[in-house]
Coordinates of all heavy atoms in Angstrom, one line a residue:
M305 N 0.8 -1.2 0.0 CA 0.0 0.0 0.0 C 0.8 1.3 0.0 O 0.4 2.2 -0.6 CB -0.9 0.0 1.2 CG -2.1 -1.0 1.1 SD -3.2 -0.4 -0.1 CE -4.2 -1.8 -0.2
P306 N 2.0 1.3 0.7 CA 2.8 2.6 0.6 C 3.3 2.9 -0.8 O 3.4 4.0 -1.2 CB 4.0 2.3 1.6 CG 3.6 1.1 2.4 CD 2.5 0.4 1.7
D307 N 3.5 1.8 -1.6 CA 3.9 2.0 -3.0 C 2.8 2.7 -3.8 O 3.1 3.5 -4.7 CB 4.3 0.7 -3.6 CG 5.6 0.2 -3.1 OD1 6.4 1.0 -2.6 OD2 5.8 -1.0 -3.2
D308 N 1.5 2.4 -3.5 CA 0.4 3.0 -4.2 C 0.4 4.5 -3.9 O 0.1 5.3 -4.8 CB -0.9 2.4 -3.7 CG -1.1 1.0 -4.2 OD1 -0.4 0.6 -5.2 OD2 -1.9 0.2 -3.7
R309 N 0.7 4.9 -2.7 CA 0.7 6.3 -2.3 C 1.8 7.1 -3.1 O 1.7 8.2 -3.6 CB 0.9 6.5 -0.8 CG -0.4 6.3 -0.1 CD -0.2 6.8 1.3 NE -0.9 5.8 2.2 CZ -0.6 5.6 3.4 NH1 0.4 6.2 4.0 NH2 -1.3 4.7 4.1
V310 N 3.0 6.4 -3.2 CA 4.1 7.0 -3.9 C 3.7 7.2 -5.4 O 4.0 8.2 -6.0 CB 5.4 6.1 -3.7 CG1 6.5 6.6 -4.6 CG2 5.8 6.2 -2.3
E311 N 3.1 6.1 -6.0 CA 2.8 6.2 -7.4 C 1.7 7.3 -7.6 O 1.8 8.0 -8.6 CB 2.2 4.8 -7.8 CG 3.3 3.8 -8.1 CD 2.7 2.5 -8.6 OE1 1.6 2.6 -9.2 OE2 3.3 1.5 -8.4
D312 N 0.7 7.4 -6.7 CA -0.3 8.4 -6.8 C 0.3 9.8 -6.7 O 0.0 10.7 -7.5 CB -1.4 8.2 -5.7 CG -2.3 7.0 -6.0 OD1 -2.3 6.5 -7.1 OD2 -3.0 6.6 -5.0
T313 N 1.3 10.0 -5.8 CA 1.9 11.2 -5.6 C 2.7 11.6 -6.9 O 2.7 12.7 -7.4 CB 2.8 11.2 -4.4 OG1 2.1 10.9 -3.3 CG2 3.4 12.6 -4.1
E314 N 3.5 10.6 -7.4 CA 4.2 10.8 -8.6 C 3.3 11.2 -9.8 O 3.6 12.1 -10.6 CB 5.1 9.6 -8.9 CG 6.2 9.4 -8.0 CD 7.0 8.1 -8.3 OE1 6.6 7.4 -9.3 OE2 7.9 7.8 -7.6
H315 N 2.2 10.5 -9.8 CA 1.2 10.7 -10.9 C 0.7 12.1 -10.8 O 0.6 12.9 -11.8 CB 0.1 9.7 -10.9 CG -0.9 9.9 -12.0 ND1 -0.6 9.6 -13.3 CD2 -2.2 10.3 -12.0 CE1 -1.6 9.8 -14.0 NE2 -2.6 10.3 -13.3
E316 N 0.3 12.6 -9.6 CA -0.2 13.9 -9.4 C 0.9 15.0 -9.7 O 0.5 16.0 -10.3 CB -0.6 14.1 -7.9 CG -1.9 13.3 -7.6 CD -2.2 13.4 -6.1 OE1 -1.6 14.2 -5.4 OE2 -3.0 12.6 -5.6
V317 N 2.1 14.7 -9.4 CA 3.2 15.7 -9.7 C 3.4 15.8 -11.2 O 3.5 16.9 -11.7 CB 4.5 15.3 -9.0 CG1 5.7 16.1 -9.5 CG2 4.4 15.4 -7.5
S318 N 3.3 14.6 -11.9 CA 3.5 14.7 -13.3 C 2.3 15.3 -14.0 O 2.5 16.1 -15.0 CB 3.7 13.3 -13.9 OG 2.6 12.5 -13.7
Q319 N 1.1 15.1 -13.5 CA -0.1 15.8 -14.0 C 0.0 17.3 -13.8 O -0.3 18.1 -14.7 CB -1.3 15.3 -13.4 CG -1.7 13.9 -13.8 CD -2.1 13.9 -15.3 OE1 -2.7 14.8 -15.8 NE2 -1.7 12.8 -16.0
E320 N 0.5 17.7 -12.6 CA 0.6 19.1 -12.3 C 1.7 19.8 -13.3 O 1.5 20.8 -13.8 CB 1.0 19.3 -10.9 CG 1.1 20.8 -10.5 CD 1.4 20.9 -9.0 OE1 0.9 20.1 -8.2 OE2 2.0 21.9 -8.7
F321 N 2.8 19.1 -13.4 CA 3.9 19.5 -14.3 C 3.4 19.7 -15.7 O 3.6 20.7 -16.4 CB 5.1 18.6 -14.3 CG 6.2 19.0 -15.1 CD1 7.0 20.0 -14.8 CD2 6.4 18.3 -16.3 CE1 8.1 20.4 -15.6 CE2 7.5 18.6 -17.2 CZ 8.3 19.7 -16.8
Y322 N 2.6 18.7 -16.2 CA 2.0 18.7 -17.5 C 1.1 19.9 -17.7 O 1.1 20.6 -18.7 CB 1.3 17.4 -17.8 CG 0.7 17.3 -19.2 CD1 1.6 17.2 -20.3 CD2 -0.6 17.3 -19.4 CE1 1.0 17.1 -21.6 CE2 -1.2 17.3 -20.7 CZ -0.3 17.2 -21.8 OH -0.9 17.1 -23.0
R323 N 0.2 20.1 -16.7 CA -0.7 21.3 -16.7 C 0.1 22.6 -16.8 O -0.3 23.5 -17.6 CB -1.6 21.3 -15.5 CG -2.9 20.7 -15.7 CD -3.8 20.9 -14.5 NE -3.7 19.6 -13.8 CZ -3.4 19.5 -12.5 NH1 -3.2 20.5 -11.8 NH2 -3.4 18.3 -12.0
D324 N 1.2 22.7 -16.1 CA 2.0 23.9 -16.1 C 2.6 24.1 -17.5 O 2.7 25.2 -18.0 CB 3.1 23.8 -15.1 CG 2.6 23.9 -13.6 OD1 1.4 24.3 -13.5 OD2 3.3 23.6 -12.7
E325 N 3.1 23.0 -18.1 CA 3.7 23.1 -19.4 C 2.7 23.5 -20.5 O 2.9 24.3 -21.3 CB 4.3 21.7 -19.8 CG 5.6 21.4 -19.1 CD 6.7 22.4 -19.4 OE1 6.9 22.7 -20.6 OE2 7.4 22.8 -18.5
I326 N 1.5 22.9 -20.4 CA 0.4 23.3 -21.3 C 0.0 24.8 -21.2 O -0.1 25.5 -22.2 CB -0.8 22.4 -21.1 CG1 -0.5 21.0 -21.5 CG2 -2.0 22.9 -21.9 CD1 -0.2 20.8 -23.0
A327 N -0.1 25.2 -19.9 CA -0.4 26.7 -19.7 C 0.7 27.6 -20.3 O 0.4 28.6 -20.9 CB -0.6 26.9 -18.2
F328 N 1.9 27.2 -20.0 CA 3.1 28.0 -20.6 C 3.0 28.0 -22.1 O 3.2 29.0 -22.7 CB 4.4 27.4 -20.1 CG 5.6 28.0 -20.7 CD1 6.0 29.3 -20.3 CD2 6.3 27.4 -21.8 CE1 7.1 29.9 -20.8 CE2 7.3 28.0 -22.3 CZ 7.8 29.3 -21.9
D329 N 2.8 26.9 -22.7 CA 2.7 26.8 -24.2 C 1.6 27.6 -24.7 O 1.7 28.3 -25.7 CB 2.5 25.3 -24.6 CG 2.7 25.2 -26.1 OD1 3.7 25.7 -26.6 OD2 1.8 24.6 -26.7
R330 N 0.4 27.6 -24.0 CA -0.7 28.5 -24.5 C -0.3 30.0 -24.4 O -0.6 30.7 -25.3 CB -1.9 28.2 -23.6 CG -2.6 26.9 -24.0 CD -3.9 26.7 -23.2 NE -4.5 25.4 -23.5 CZ -5.0 24.6 -22.6 NH1 -5.1 25.0 -21.4 NH2 -5.5 23.5 -23.0
R331 N 0.3 30.4 -23.3 CA 0.7 31.8 -23.2 C 1.7 32.1 -24.2 O 1.6 33.2 -24.8 CB 1.3 32.0 -21.8 CG 0.3 32.1 -20.7 CD 0.9 32.6 -19.4 NE 2.1 31.9 -18.9 CZ 2.1 30.8 -18.1 NH1 1.0 30.3 -17.7 NH2 3.2 30.2 -17.8
R332 N 2.7 31.2 -24.5 CA 3.7 31.5 -25.5 C 3.0 31.6 -26.9 O 3.4 32.5 -27.7 CB 4.7 30.4 -25.5 CG 5.9 30.6 -26.5 CD 6.9 29.6 -26.4 NE 6.3 28.3 -26.7 CZ 6.9 27.1 -26.7 NH1 8.1 27.1 -26.3 NH2 6.2 26.0 -27.0
T333 N 2.1 30.8 -27.2 CA 1.4 30.8 -28.5 C 0.6 32.1 -28.6 O 0.6 32.8 -29.7 CB 0.4 29.6 -28.6 OG1 1.1 28.4 -28.5 CG2 -0.3 29.7 -29.9
R334 N -0.1 32.6 -27.5 CA -0.8 33.8 -27.6 C 0.2 35.0 -27.8 O -0.1 35.9 -28.6 CB -1.6 34.1 -26.3 CG -3.0 33.5 -26.3 CD -3.7 33.9 -25.1 NE -4.0 32.7 -24.4 CZ -3.7 32.5 -23.1 NH1 -3.2 33.4 -22.4 NH2 -4.0 31.3 -22.5
R335 N 1.3 35.0 -27.1 CA 2.3 36.0 -27.3 C 2.8 36.1 -28.8 O 2.9 37.1 -29.4 CB 3.5 35.8 -26.4 CG 3.3 36.4 -25.0 CD 4.7 36.5 -24.3 NE 5.3 35.2 -24.2 CZ 5.2 34.3 -23.2 NH1 4.5 34.7 -22.1 NH2 5.9 33.2 -23.2
R336 N 3.1 34.9 -29.3 CA 3.5 34.8 -30.7 C 2.5 35.4 -31.7 O 2.8 36.1 -32.6 CB 3.8 33.4 -31.1 CG 5.2 32.9 -30.6 CD 5.5 31.6 -31.1 NE 6.7 31.1 -30.6 CZ 7.2 29.9 -30.7 NH1 6.4 29.0 -31.3 NH2 8.3 29.5 -30.2
R337 N 1.2 35.0 -31.5 CA 0.1 35.5 -32.3 C 0.0 37.0 -32.2 O -0.1 37.7 -33.2 CB -1.2 34.9 -31.9 CG -1.5 33.7 -32.7 CD -2.9 33.2 -32.5 NE -2.9 31.8 -32.2 CZ -3.6 31.2 -31.3 NH1 -4.4 31.9 -30.5 NH2 -3.4 30.0 -31.0
R338 N 0.1 37.5 -31.0 CA 0.0 39.0 -30.7 C 1.1 39.7 -31.4 O 0.9 40.7 -32.1 CB 0.0 39.2 -29.2 CG -0.8 40.5 -28.8 CD -0.9 40.6 -27.3 NE -1.5 39.5 -26.7 CZ -1.0 38.9 -25.6 NH1 0.0 39.4 -25.0 NH2 -1.7 37.9 -25.0
R339 N 2.3 39.2 -31.3 CA 3.5 39.8 -31.9 C 3.3 39.8 -33.4 O 3.7 40.8 -34.1 CB 4.8 39.1 -31.5 CG 5.3 39.6 -30.2 CD 6.7 39.1 -30.0 NE 6.8 38.5 -28.7 CZ 7.3 37.4 -28.4 NH1 7.9 36.6 -29.3 NH2 7.3 36.9 -27.1
G340 N 2.8 38.7 -34.0 CA 2.6 38.6 -35.4 C 1.6 39.7 -35.9 O 1.8 40.3 -37.0
V341 N 0.5 39.8 -35.2 CA -0.5 40.8 -35.6 C 0.1 42.2 -35.5 O 0.0 43.1 -36.4 CB -1.7 40.7 -34.7 CG1 -2.6 41.9 -34.8 CG2 -2.5 39.4 -35.0
L342 N 0.9 42.5 -34.4 CA 1.5 43.8 -34.2 C 2.5 44.1 -35.3 O 2.6 45.2 -35.9 CB 2.2 43.9 -32.9 CG 1.2 44.0 -31.7 CD1 2.0 44.0 -30.4 CD2 0.4 45.3 -31.8
R343 N 3.3 43.1 -35.7 CA 4.2 43.2 -36.8 C 3.5 43.5 -38.1 O 4.0 44.4 -38.9 CB 5.0 41.9 -36.9 CG 6.5 42.2 -37.1 CD 7.3 40.9 -37.1 NE 6.8 40.2 -35.9 CZ 7.0 38.9 -35.6 NH1 7.7 38.2 -36.4 NH2 6.6 38.4 -34.5
A344 N 2.4 42.8 -38.4 CA 1.7 43.1 -39.6 C 1.1 44.5 -39.6 O 1.2 45.2 -40.6 CB 0.6 42.1 -39.8
L345 N 0.6 44.9 -38.5 CA 0.1 46.3 -38.4 C 1.2 47.3 -38.6 O 1.0 48.4 -39.3 CB -0.7 46.5 -37.1 CG -2.0 45.8 -36.9 CD1 -2.5 46.0 -35.5 CD2 -3.0 46.3 -37.9
A346 N 2.3 47.1 -38.0 CA 3.4 48.0 -38.1 C 3.9 48.1 -39.6 O 4.1 49.2 -40.1 CB 4.6 47.5 -37.3
V347 N 3.9 47.0 -40.3 CA 4.2 47.0 -41.7 C 3.2 47.8 -42.5 O 3.5 48.6 -43.4 CB 4.4 45.6 -42.3 CG1 4.4 45.5 -43.8 CG2 5.6 44.9 -41.7
L348 N 1.9 47.6 -42.2 CA 0.9 48.3 -42.9 C 0.9 49.8 -42.7 O 0.6 50.6 -43.6 CB -0.5 47.7 -42.5 CG -0.9 46.4 -43.0 CD1 -2.2 45.9 -42.4 CD2 -1.0 46.4 -44.5
V349 N 1.4 50.2 -41.6 CA 1.4 51.6 -41.2 C 2.8 52.2 -41.7 O 2.8 53.3 -42.3 CB 1.3 51.8 -39.7 CG1 1.6 53.3 -39.3 CG2 -0.2 51.5 -39.3
L350 N 3.9 51.5 -41.5 CA 5.2 52.1 -41.8 C 5.5 52.1 -43.3 O 6.2 53.1 -43.7 CB 6.2 51.3 -41.0 CG 6.3 51.5 -39.5 CD1 7.3 50.6 -38.9 CD2 6.5 52.9 -39.2
I351 N 5.0 51.2 -44.1 CA 5.4 51.3 -45.5 C 4.8 52.6 -46.1 O 5.6 53.3 -46.8 CB 4.9 50.0 -46.2 CG1 5.8 48.8 -45.9 CG2 4.9 50.2 -47.7 CD1 5.4 47.5 -46.5
P352 N 3.6 52.9 -46.0 CA 3.1 54.2 -46.6 C 3.9 55.4 -46.0 O 4.2 56.4 -46.7 CB 1.6 54.3 -46.2 CG 1.2 52.9 -46.0 CD 2.4 52.2 -45.4
V353 N 4.2 55.4 -44.7 CA 4.9 56.5 -44.1 C 6.3 56.6 -44.7 O 6.7 57.8 -45.0 CB 4.9 56.3 -42.5 CG1 5.9 57.3 -41.9 CG2 3.6 56.4 -41.9
V354 N 6.9 55.6 -44.8 CA 8.3 55.6 -45.4 C 8.2 56.1 -46.9 O 9.1 56.9 -47.3 CB 9.0 54.2 -45.3 CG1 10.2 54.1 -46.2 CG2 9.3 53.9 -43.9
L355 N 7.2 55.6 -47.6 CA 7.1 56.0 -49.0 C 6.8 57.5 -49.1 O 7.4 58.2 -50.0 CB 6.0 55.2 -49.7 CG 6.3 53.8 -50.0 CD1 5.1 53.1 -50.6 CD2 7.5 53.7 -51.0
V356 N 6.0 58.1 -48.2 CA 5.7 59.5 -48.2 C 6.9 60.3 -47.9 O 7.2 61.3 -48.5 CB 4.5 59.8 -47.3 CG1 4.4 61.3 -47.0 CG2 3.2 59.3 -47.9
A357 N 7.6 59.8 -46.8 CA 8.9 60.5 -46.4 C 9.9 60.5 -47.6 O 10.5 61.5 -47.8 CB 9.4 59.8 -45.2
A358 N 10.0 59.4 -48.2 CA 11.0 59.3 -49.4 C 10.6 60.2 -50.5 O 11.4 60.9 -51.1 CB 11.1 57.9 -49.9
F359 N 9.3 60.3 -50.7 CA 8.8 61.2 -51.8 C 9.1 62.7 -51.4 O 9.6 63.5 -52.2 CB 7.3 61.1 -52.0 CG 6.7 62.1 -52.9 CD1 7.0 62.1 -54.3 CD2 6.0 63.2 -52.4 CE1 6.5 63.1 -55.1 CE2 5.5 64.2 -53.2 CZ 5.8 64.1 -54.6
L360 N 8.8 63.0 -50.1 CA 9.1 64.4 -49.7 C 10.5 64.8 -49.7 O 10.9 65.9 -50.2 CB 8.5 64.6 -48.3 CG 7.0 64.7 -48.2 CD1 6.5 64.8 -46.7 CD2 6.4 65.8 -49.0
V361 N 11.4 63.9 -49.3 CA 12.8 64.1 -49.3 C 13.3 64.3 -50.8 O 14.0 65.2 -51.1 CB 13.6 63.0 -48.6 CG1 15.1 63.1 -49.0 CG2 13.4 63.0 -47.1
S362 N 12.8 63.4 -51.7 CA 13.1 63.5 -53.1 C 12.6 64.9 -53.7 O 13.4 65.5 -54.4 CB 12.5 62.4 -53.8 OG 12.7 62.5 -55.2
Y363 N 11.4 65.3 -53.3 CA 10.8 66.5 -53.8 C 11.7 67.7 -53.4 O 12.0 68.6 -54.2 CB 9.4 66.6 -53.3 CG 8.6 67.8 -53.9 CD1 8.2 67.8 -55.2 CD2 8.3 68.9 -53.0 CE1 7.5 68.9 -55.7 CE2 7.6 70.0 -53.5 CZ 7.2 70.0 -54.8 OH 6.5 71.1 -55.3
V364 N 12.0 67.7 -52.1 CA 12.8 68.8 -51.5 C 14.2 68.9 -52.2 O 14.7 69.9 -52.6 CB 12.9 68.7 -50.0 CG1 14.0 69.7 -49.4 CG2 11.6 69.0 -49.3
L365 N 14.8 67.7 -52.3 CA 16.2 67.7 -52.9 C 16.1 68.1 -54.4 O 17.0 68.8 -54.9 CB 16.8 66.3 -52.8 CG 17.2 65.9 -51.4 CD1 17.7 64.5 -51.3 CD2 18.2 66.9 -50.8
T366 N 15.0 67.7 -55.1 CA 14.9 68.2 -56.5 C 14.7 69.7 -56.6 O 15.3 70.3 -57.4 CB 13.7 67.5 -57.1 OG1 13.9 66.1 -57.1 CG2 13.5 67.9 -58.6
C367 N 13.9 70.2 -55.6 CA 13.7 71.7 -55.6 C 15.1 72.4 -55.3 O 15.4 73.4 -56.0 CB 12.7 72.1 -54.5 SG 11.0 71.6 -54.9
I368 N 15.8 71.9 -54.4 CA 17.1 72.5 -54.0 C 18.1 72.4 -55.2 O 18.8 73.3 -55.5 CB 17.7 71.8 -52.8 CG1 16.8 72.2 -51.6 CG2 19.1 72.2 -52.5 CD1 17.2 71.5 -50.3
A369 N 18.1 71.2 -55.9 CA 19.0 71.0 -57.0 C 18.6 72.0 -58.2 O 19.4 72.4 -59.0 CB 18.9 69.6 -57.5
G370 N 17.3 72.3 -58.2 CA 16.8 73.3 -59.2 C 17.1 74.7 -58.8 O 16.8 75.7 -59.6
G371 N 17.7 75.0 -57.7 CA 18.1 76.3 -57.3 C 17.1 77.0 -56.4 O 17.2 78.2 -56.2
A372 N 16.2 76.3 -55.8 CA 15.2 76.9 -54.9 C 15.9 77.3 -53.6 O 16.7 76.6 -53.0 CB 14.1 76.0 -54.6
T373 N 15.4 78.5 -53.1 CA 15.9 78.9 -51.7 C 15.1 78.2 -50.7 O 14.0 77.7 -51.0 CB 15.8 80.4 -51.6 OG1 14.4 80.8 -51.7 CG2 16.5 81.2 -52.7
P374 N 15.5 78.3 -49.4 CA 14.7 77.6 -48.4 C 13.2 78.2 -48.3 O 12.3 77.4 -48.1 CB 15.4 78.0 -47.1 CG 16.9 78.1 -47.5 CD 16.8 78.7 -48.9
D375 N 13.1 79.5 -48.5 CA 11.7 80.1 -48.5 C 10.9 79.5 -49.7 O 9.7 79.2 -49.5 CB 11.8 81.6 -48.6 CG 12.3 82.2 -47.4 OD1 12.2 81.6 -46.3 OD2 12.9 83.3 -47.4
E376 N 11.5 79.4 -50.8 CA 10.8 78.8 -52.0 C 10.4 77.3 -51.8 O 9.3 76.9 -52.1 CB 11.7 78.9 -53.3 CG 11.8 80.4 -53.7 CD 12.8 80.5 -54.9 OE1 13.7 79.6 -55.0 OE2 12.7 81.4 -55.6
V377 N 11.3 76.6 -51.1 CA 11.0 75.2 -50.8 C 9.8 75.1 -49.9 O 8.9 74.3 -50.1 CB 12.2 74.5 -50.1 CG1 11.9 73.1 -49.6 CG2 13.4 74.4 -51.1
V378 N 9.7 76.0 -48.9 CA 8.6 76.0 -47.9 C 7.3 76.4 -48.7 O 6.3 75.7 -48.5 CB 8.8 77.1 -46.8 CG1 7.6 77.3 -46.0 CG2 10.0 76.6 -45.9
E379 N 7.4 77.3 -49.6 CA 6.2 77.7 -50.5 C 5.8 76.5 -51.3 O 4.6 76.2 -51.5 CB 6.5 78.9 -51.3 CG 6.6 80.2 -50.6 CD 6.9 81.4 -51.6 OE1 6.5 81.3 -52.8 OE2 7.6 82.3 -51.1
L380 N 6.8 75.8 -51.9 CA 6.5 74.7 -52.8 C 5.8 73.6 -52.0 O 4.9 72.9 -52.4 CB 7.7 74.2 -53.5 CG 8.3 75.1 -54.6 CD1 9.6 74.7 -55.0 CD2 7.3 75.1 -55.8
L381 N 6.3 73.3 -50.8 CA 5.7 72.3 -49.9 C 4.3 72.7 -49.5 O 3.4 71.8 -49.4 CB 6.6 72.0 -48.7 CG 7.9 71.3 -48.9 CD1 8.7 71.2 -47.6 CD2 7.6 69.9 -49.4
G382 N 4.1 74.0 -49.2 CA 2.7 74.4 -48.9 C 1.8 74.2 -50.1 O 0.7 73.8 -49.9
G383 N 2.3 74.5 -51.3 CA 1.5 74.3 -52.5 C 1.2 72.8 -52.7 O 0.1 72.4 -53.1
L384 N 2.2 72.0 -52.5 CA 2.0 70.5 -52.6 C 1.0 70.0 -51.6 O 0.1 69.2 -51.9 CB 3.3 69.8 -52.3 CG 3.3 68.3 -52.3 CD1 2.9 67.8 -53.7 CD2 4.6 67.7 -51.9
W385 N 1.0 70.5 -50.3 CA 0.1 70.2 -49.3 C -1.3 70.6 -49.7 O -2.3 69.8 -49.6 CB 0.4 70.8 -48.0 CG -0.6 70.6 -46.9 CD1 -1.4 71.6 -46.4 CD2 -1.0 69.4 -46.3 NE1 -2.3 71.0 -45.5 CE2 -2.1 69.7 -45.4 CE3 -0.6 68.1 -46.4 CZ2 -2.7 68.7 -44.7 CZ3 -1.2 67.1 -45.7 CH2 -2.2 67.4 -44.8
E386 N -1.5 71.8 -50.3 CA -2.8 72.2 -50.7 C -3.4 71.3 -51.9 O -4.6 71.0 -51.9 CB -2.8 73.7 -51.2 CG -2.6 74.6 -50.0 CD -3.7 74.5 -48.9 OE1 -4.9 74.4 -49.3 OE2 -3.3 74.5 -47.8
R387 N -2.5 70.9 -52.8 CA -2.9 70.0 -53.9 C -3.3 68.7 -53.3 O -4.4 68.1 -53.8 CB -1.8 69.9 -54.9 CG -1.7 71.1 -55.8 CD -0.8 70.8 -57.0 NE 0.6 70.3 -56.5 CZ 1.7 71.0 -56.6 NH1 1.6 72.3 -57.0 NH2 2.8 70.5 -56.1
V388 N -2.6 68.1 -52.4 CA -2.9 66.8 -51.8 C -4.2 66.9 -51.0 O -5.1 66.0 -51.1 CB -1.7 66.3 -50.9 CG1 -2.2 65.2 -50.0 CG2 -0.5 66.0 -51.7
R389 N -4.4 68.0 -50.3 CA -5.6 68.2 -49.5 C -6.8 68.3 -50.4 O -7.9 67.7 -50.2 CB -5.5 69.4 -48.6 CG -6.1 69.3 -47.3 CD -5.8 70.4 -46.4 NE -7.1 71.2 -46.3 CZ -7.2 72.4 -46.1 NH1 -6.1 73.2 -45.8 NH2 -8.3 73.0 -46.0
G390 N -6.7 69.1 -51.5 CA -7.8 69.2 -52.5 C -8.1 67.9 -53.1 O -9.3 67.6 -53.3
A391 N -7.1 67.1 -53.5 CA -7.3 65.8 -54.1 C -8.0 64.9 -53.1 O -8.9 64.1 -53.5 CB -6.0 65.2 -54.6
A392 N -7.6 64.9 -51.9 CA -8.3 64.1 -50.8 C -9.7 64.5 -50.6 O -10.6 63.6 -50.5 CB -7.5 64.2 -49.5
F393 N -10.0 65.8 -50.6 CA -11.4 66.2 -50.5 C -12.2 65.8 -51.7 O -13.4 65.4 -51.6 CB -11.5 67.7 -50.2 CG -11.1 68.1 -48.8 CD1 -10.3 69.1 -48.6 CD2 -11.7 67.5 -47.7 CE1 -9.9 69.5 -47.3 CE2 -11.4 67.8 -46.5 CZ -10.5 68.9 -46.2
D394 N -11.7 65.9 -52.9 CA -12.4 65.5 -54.1 C -12.7 64.0 -54.1 O -13.8 63.6 -54.4 CB -11.6 65.9 -55.3 CG -11.5 67.4 -55.6 OD1 -12.3 68.1 -55.0 OD2 -10.6 67.8 -56.4
L395 N -11.7 63.2 -53.7 CA -11.9 61.8 -53.6 C -13.0 61.5 -52.6 O -13.8 60.6 -52.8 CB -10.6 61.1 -53.2 CG -10.6 59.6 -53.1 CD1 -11.0 58.9 -54.4 CD2 -9.3 59.1 -52.6
A396 N -12.9 62.1 -51.4 CA -13.9 61.9 -50.4 C -15.3 62.2 -50.9 O -16.3 61.5 -50.6 CB -13.6 62.7 -49.1
R397 N -15.4 63.3 -51.6 CA -16.7 63.7 -52.2 C -17.2 62.7 -53.2 O -18.4 62.3 -53.2 CB -16.6 65.1 -52.9 CG -17.2 66.2 -52.0 CD -17.3 67.5 -52.7 NE -16.2 68.3 -52.2 CZ -15.3 68.9 -52.9 NH1 -15.2 68.8 -54.2 NH2 -14.4 69.6 -52.3
Q398 N -16.3 62.2 -54.0 CA -16.7 61.2 -55.0 C -17.2 59.9 -54.4 O -18.1 59.3 -54.8 CB -15.6 60.9 -56.0 CG -15.3 62.0 -57.0 CD -14.1 61.7 -57.9 OE1 -13.5 60.7 -57.7 NE2 -13.9 62.6 -58.8
L399 N -16.4 59.5 -53.3 CA -16.8 58.3 -52.6 C -18.1 58.4 -51.9 O -18.9 57.5 -51.7 CB -15.7 57.9 -51.6 CG -14.4 57.4 -52.3 CD1 -13.4 57.2 -51.2 CD2 -14.6 56.2 -53.1
A400 N -18.4 59.6 -51.4 CA -19.7 59.9 -50.7 C -20.8 60.0 -51.7 O -22.0 60.1 -51.3 CB -19.6 61.1 -49.8
G401 N -20.5 60.2 -53.0 CA -21.6 60.4 -54.0 C -22.1 61.8 -54.1 O -23.1 62.0 -54.7
V402 N -21.4 62.8 -53.5 CA -21.8 64.1 -53.6 C -21.0 64.8 -54.8 O -19.8 64.7 -54.8 CB -21.5 64.9 -52.3 CG1 -21.8 66.3 -52.4 CG2 -22.2 64.2 -51.2
G403 N -21.7 65.6 -55.6 CA -21.0 66.4 -56.6 C -20.6 65.7 -57.8 O -20.0 66.0 -58.7

């Protein structure tokens, strides 16, 4: 009979260890999924931001290479911003079905 108690205790310990391992694995899997989703969102956000930044840098450098002064560059960027804003409003109006 004492051997039965030892076996039961060993079985309980192994079951507890197994439960702990399964819980750890579930947490690790959730973390991996969460990180994957965050990585995908970061890519979706950062790619357009990097492309816009590259375009702006290229535009400014082209203006400077063309002989524009800093004040003219600021004016050109302001004009660019107004054109982009106007195009965005036009697109929003078209999507809404107005006009």
